[in-house]
Amino acid sequence: IAKGVLSQRLVELAAQHGLAVTRVSVRNQRSRWGSCGRDGHICLNWRLMLMPEWVRDYVLIHELMHLRRMDHSPKYWRLVARAYPQYEAAREWLRRNGPSLR
């Protein structure tokens, strides 16, 4: 179920932002919510299913913006902010609640 739900939402968000994802994997990661390869392969943690949709969307947007910029520079964070203005609240939710989901 997680692969279908997460993949579908990721593809929807990618289309909204004019991005293309080459492959989506859903795994049982202990230390990451997601990752993005230079080849457009996005890997997501199944535990994203345990968080509110608005926080999950932030993680998906975070990974998608790496398709534009493969770093965490100020320019990258501006891309995230434009794509998901409430990203700071989502990051705070993850800081507070994320550890209990692992």
Side-chain angles (χ1 to χ4, degrees):
I1 293 174
K3 179 158 176 54
V5 170
L6 295 172
S7 297
Q8 180 179 346
R9 184 62 177 149
L10 185 69
V11 169
E12 287 172 8
L13 290 169
Q16 288 175 22
H17 294 280
L19 297 166
V21 176
T22 59
R23 190 161 61 109
V24 181
S25 299
V26 177
R27 297 188 182 148
N28 182 23
Q29 299 159 300
R30 288 286 173 190
S31 61
R32 293 179 172 208
W33 297 116
S35 61
C36 179
R38 292 187 185 281
D39 61 355
H41 174 208
I42 293 182
C43 186
L44 300 170
N45 189 322
W46 71 266
R47 289 176 184 82
L48 292 170
M49 297 296 294
L50 304 176
M51 59 185 62
E53 286 182 35
W54 67 277
V55 179
R56 183 186 319 155
D57 276 357
Y58 156 69
V59 175
L60 300 181
I61 291 288
H62 179 107
E63 298 310 331
L64 286 169
M65 290 303 110
H66 281 307
L67 295 172
R68 292 204 167 119
R69 196 163 179 94
M70 292 295 290
D71 59 31
H72 287 107
S73 67
K75 287 182 181 178
Y76 166 81
W77 287 109
R78 283 195 290 278
L79 290 172
V80 172
R82 263 195 304 270
Y84 204 79
Q86 65 272 40
Y87 84 95
E88 289 173 321
R91 289 186 76 197
E92 181 59 29
W93 190 97
L94 284 169
R95 271 193 286 277
R96 288 188 187 162
N97 302 289
S100 67
L101 303 179
R102 297 188 195 268

